């Protein structure tokens, strides 16, 4: 079931909501015999309406975000507002350049840290998780910023940074970069997918596009995520897309999956046989990271899957149904790569789309759940897995109030590198009313990889060595 919001008008939507005859429509594609996919017309209506609204606000959102981020960088470049005003009257205002290595996104201002934790060395059980989260965090930044961070701060090699084509939205909407970490044994290539940017209406459309895309023998998968990863319109997932010149390697419309797969093929062939790779991402980026090996399995890319060290996702939404969960469990067992799904406290995104009779989405893999004190445990599913609980509303708000108080004291308890700026404190304040959204910011995910107890990784290793999965069941 593929939704095409670009083909629908508001009048069409209203007619569709009251139309009981499930005839073929330009904005709704489904296979013959699969009419049950469109029985819940109100869900399709909300998804299409939401996407139409977002599409109409693409330019205003982008403009506001551009102005807001420029203002943040202008103040930062001049140290603070007082110095900015002084420089203005002196005619010495430092003007930031949007494409420079010092220009940060709004997400970057929520957490300005770029250095890796010096206490977590290569070989430490926490190292790959901490590196993956930092790569996920800086994936929100421009190419110059990422290149400077990877090369100058981390002393690693930036292999690729690209904007990838979405064949359905007809524009470049997906971003990812690749780095090579030679400090580990074996050395590691990290692929980091960017999550949903705050002012990117196209990315928000991807998130709320609840199209199902079913792969025989694999299951039904979130259509918006499939499109962002590189689903080819009218073709699905062909083994190769060489017949599309613009999608070929080096073309001006690279598709994320095919382009990254080709780069991995090239890099892993020229490196030694021990080089492995990691997939990671925060939010939407996490969804793309875990879907990547699923398409590798569809294409029987055995040797690439055998070189996959692990998938580390942070605040990742659900991506598929029960059949897809079973399929991915088989791949995890067959190829032996790790899949660690990090969830911070009351983050609402890992609890959506819901795991119920309406949406049918399921999580899988190993869930590492951390509370607001960054104490972690291995669980089968995060507490209140669908976030729908009136009884939990007041405790969530109280916890959000604690997180706001923590903003003022954490630097004294954990060190100055954990200090939180005014923008993040403002987000925490809003989070008292909307705790599920404020809990999704990258700051807390960076903190849990650094402050979380190493014992949880020891338990993971013991479980892995014994072939058992010991989890704690939570309500």
């Amino acid at each position: 079931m593929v939704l095409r919001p670009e083909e629908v008008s508001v009048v069409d939507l209203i007619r569709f909501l009251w139309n009981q005859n499930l005839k073929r429509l330009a904005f709704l594609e489904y296979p013959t015999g699969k009419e049950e996919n469109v029985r819940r017309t109100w869900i399709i209506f909300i998804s299409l309406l939401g996407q139409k609204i977002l599409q109409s606000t693409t330019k205003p959102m982008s403009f506001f975000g551009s102005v807001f981020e420029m203002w943040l960088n202008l103040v930062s470049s001049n140290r603070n507002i007082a110095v900015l005003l002084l420089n203005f009257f002196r005619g010495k205002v430092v003007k930031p350049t949007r494409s420079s290595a010092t220009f940060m996104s709004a997400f970057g201002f929520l957490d300005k840290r770029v250095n890796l934790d010096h206490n977590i060395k290569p070989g430490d059980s926490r190292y790959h998780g901490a590196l993956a989260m930092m790569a996920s965090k800086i994936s929100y930044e421009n190419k110059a910023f990422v290149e400077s961070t990877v090369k100058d701060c981390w002393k690693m090699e930036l292999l690729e940074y690209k904007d990838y084509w979405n064949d359905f939205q007809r524009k470049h909407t997906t971003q990812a970069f690749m780095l090579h970490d030679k400090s580990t044994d074996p050395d590691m290539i990290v692929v980091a997918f960017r999550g949903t940017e705050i002012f990117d209406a196209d990315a928000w459309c991807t998130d709320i596009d609840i199209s199902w895309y079913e792969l025989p023998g694999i299951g039904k998968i979130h259509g918006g995520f499939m499109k962002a990863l590189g689903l080819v319109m009218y073709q699905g997932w062909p083994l190769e897309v060489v017949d599309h010149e613009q999608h070929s390697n080096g073309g001006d419309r690279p598709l994320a999956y095919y382009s990254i797969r080709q780069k991995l093929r090239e890099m892993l062939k020229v490196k030694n046989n021990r080089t492995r790779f990691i997939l990671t991402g925060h939010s939407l980026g996490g969804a793309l990271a875990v879907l990547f090996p699923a398409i590798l399995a569809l294409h029987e890319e055995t040797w690439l899957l055998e070189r996959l060290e692990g998938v580390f996702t942070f605040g990742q939404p659900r991506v598929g149904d029960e059949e897809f969960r079973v399929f991915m469990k088989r791949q995890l067992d067959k190829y032996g790569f790790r899949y660690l799904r990090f969830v911070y406290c009351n983050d609402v995104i890992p609890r959506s789309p819901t795991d119920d009779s309406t949406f049918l989405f399921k999580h899988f893999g190993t869930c590492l759940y951390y509370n607001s004190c960054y104490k972690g445990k291995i669980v089968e599913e995060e507490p209140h897995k669908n976030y729908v609980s009136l009884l939990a509303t007041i405790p969530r708000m109280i916890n959000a109030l604690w997180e706001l108080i923590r903003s003022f004291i954490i630097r004294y308890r954990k060190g100055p590198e954990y200090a939180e700026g005014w923008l993040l404190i403002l987000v925490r304040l809003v989070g008292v009313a909307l705790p599920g959204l404020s809990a999704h910011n990258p700051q807390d995910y960076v903190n849990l990889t650094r402050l979380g107890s190493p014992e949880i990784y020891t338990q993971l290793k013991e479980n892995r060595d014994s072939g058992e999965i010991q989890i704690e069941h939570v309500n």
Side-chain angles (χ1 to χ4, degrees):
M1 184 189 72
V2 177
L3 305 182
R4 303 185 189 280
E6 63 280 356
E7 303 290 342
V8 67
S9 68
V10 175
V11 174
D12 290 334
L13 275 178
I14 295 173
R15 291 173 58 191
F16 169 73
L17 188 62
W18 297 104
N19 181 18
Q20 299 301 314
N21 297 317
L22 299 175
K23 60 183 180 180
R24 300 291 172 175
L25 299 166
F27 58 85
L28 182 62
E29 176 187 336
Y30 58 92
T32 301
K34 291 289 185 179
E35 285 76 14
E36 73 275 7
N37 286 350
V38 293
R39 292 293 178 186
R40 295 183 174 89
T41 56
W42 68 272
I43 299 175
I44 297 172
F45 173 82
I46 291 174
S47 178
L48 285 169
L49 180 62
Q51 291 180 72
K52 289 298 291 185
I53 293 173
L54 284 167
Q55 287 177 348
S56 68
T57 61
T58 298
K59 290 184 178 179
M61 280 183 66
S62 178
F63 176 77
F64 176 80
S66 177
V67 172
F68 182 64
E69 290 183 344
M70 179 59 73
W71 179 77
L72 289 174
N73 282 274
L74 183 63
V75 173
S76 178
S77 297
N78 291 274
R79 292 170 53 191
N80 54 53
I81 293 179
V83 177
L84 173 60
L85 291 173
L86 178 62
N87 286 346
F88 174 78
F89 288 113
R90 296 167 58 195
K92 296 183 178 180
V93 173
V94 179
K95 299 178 180 179
T97 302
R98 191 171 296 278
S99 60
S100 72
T102 58
F103 192 95
M104 289 194 298
S105 67
F107 262 132
F109 276 95
L110 289 177
D111 181 4
K112 294 184 179 181
R113 290 172 294 183
V114 294
N115 291 317
L116 301 177
D117 190 335
H118 67 276
N119 294 314
I120 304 178
K121 305 292 185 181
D124 189 308
S125 59
R126 298 174 293 168
Y127 179 77
H128 285 150
L131 173 61
M133 182 55 222
M134 286 301 293
S136 298
K137 189 181 88 71
I138 70 165
S139 68
Y140 289 97
E141 309 303 330
N142 66 57
K143 183 177 181 179
F145 188 102
V146 171
E147 185 172 19
S148 174
T149 301
V150 171
K151 290 183 176 181
D152 301 333
C153 294
W154 300 357
K155 307 304 180 184
M156 299 176 190
E157 180 185 1
L158 180 66
L159 301 177
E160 187 170 79
Y161 179 108
K162 276 188 180 180
D163 292 334
Y164 299 99
W165 183 254
N166 185 315
D167 213 26
F168 290 78
Q169 295 186 4
R170 309 304 296 170
K171 59 182 72 174
H172 296 84
T173 65
T174 303
Q175 296 82 26
F177 75 90
M178 301 171 63
L179 64 84
H180 187 198
D181 180 7
K182 301 177 184 178
S183 68
T184 59
D185 185 19
D187 55 309
M188 202 69 59
I189 292 174
V190 179
V191 181
F193 292 90
R194 181 183 297 182
T196 304
E197 292 186 290
I198 301 173
F199 304 107
D200 187 346
D202 295 320
W204 286 107
C205 283
T206 294
D207 293 336
I208 68 170
D209 180 355
I210 50 83
S211 303
W212 275 122
Y213 195 88
E214 184 171 7
L215 296 170
I218 294 179
K220 293 179 179 178
I221 304 170
H222 188 292
F225 300 154
M226 287 273 94
K227 296 171 186 176
L229 187 60
L231 186 69
V232 184
M233 190 180 293
Y234 305 121
Q235 294 189 55
W237 289 108
L239 182 60
E240 303 288 349
V241 287
V242 291
D243 56 325
H244 281 50
E245 182 179 350
Q246 69 269 32
H247 296 327
S248 63
N249 190 36
D252 62 345
R253 296 182 180 180
L255 298 167
Y257 166 78
Y258 294 99
S259 181
I260 293 171
R261 184 188 65 176
Q262 180 61 28
K263 188 67 175 180
L264 285 171
R265 285 172 174 172
E266 295 171 359
M267 296 305 301
L268 293 175
K269 282 180 180 178
V270 301
K271 304 295 181 184
N272 62 68
N273 292 330
R274 300 182 69 247
T275 303
R276 300 176 69 82
F277 71 99
I278 284 172
L279 300 163
T280 189
H282 169 260
S283 191
L284 165 63
L288 302 182
V290 75
L291 288 177
F292 190 90
I295 309 304
L296 286 179
L298 171 69
H299 290 157
E300 299 181 347
E301 296 281 355
T302 301
W303 80 277
L304 277 177
L305 287 166
E306 288 175 346
R307 302 284 285 274
L308 176 57
E309 175 70 18
V311 181
F312 299 81
T313 69
F314 305 87
Q316 171 221 311
R318 296 184 177 97
V319 298
D321 67 356
E322 174 64 27
E323 185 181 3
F324 181 69
R325 172 165 68 175
V326 172
F327 171 81
M328 287 304 295
K329 284 184 175 179
R330 289 201 303 268
Q331 308 315 307
L332 290 168
D333 292 339
K334 181 177 180 180
Y335 296 105
F337 61 88
R338 291 187 294 168
Y339 169 37
L340 300 183
R341 185 171 61 84
F342 293 79
V343 177
Y344 170 72
C345 202
N346 292 320
D347 187 351
V348 68
I349 301 303
R351 297 168 168 93
S352 60
T354 53
D355 176 2
D356 56 22
S357 59
T358 299
F359 288 101
L360 305 173
F361 283 83
K362 304 289 182 181
H363 269 313
F364 58 93
T366 303
C367 177
L368 305 186
Y369 173 76
Y370 292 78
N371 64 18
S372 58
C373 294
Y374 305 118
K375 181 176 176 57
K377 56 186 175 183
I378 305 172
V379 298
E380 182 178 27
E381 189 83 74
E382 54 272 12
H384 306 294
K385 66 178 183 178
N386 290 328
Y387 206 76
V388 181
S389 173
L390 293 176
L391 293 176
T393 301
I394 294 178
R396 286 187 191 128
M397 290 182 173
I398 294 174
N399 185 80
L401 181 60
W402 148 245
E403 290 172 333
L404 177 61
I405 296 171
R406 188 188 63 193
S407 292
F408 296 96
I409 63 176
I410 190 169
R411 65 179 303 170
Y412 303 107
R413 299 180 62 201
K414 302 299 182 181
E417 66 270 25
Y418 293 95
E420 299 188 3
W422 67 268
L423 184 60
L424 181 54
I425 291 174
L426 181 61
V427 171
R428 302 276 193 210
L429 183 61
V430 174
V432 176
L434 301 170
L437 292 177
S438 63
H440 188 59
N441 79 79
Q443 169 95 11
D444 287 314
Y445 281 98
V446 172
N447 287 353
L448 67 83
T449 62
R450 299 183 177 196
L451 300 176
S453 174
E455 281 73 23
I456 194 171
Y457 294 93
T458 302
Q459 183 182 347
L460 282 172
K461 186 177 185 304
E462 291 174 350
N463 294 346
R464 188 180 177 88
D465 291 343
S466 64
E468 300 177 355
I469 300 178
Q470 298 175 359
I471 57 179
E472 181 175 336
H473 297 270
V474 296
N475 295 321

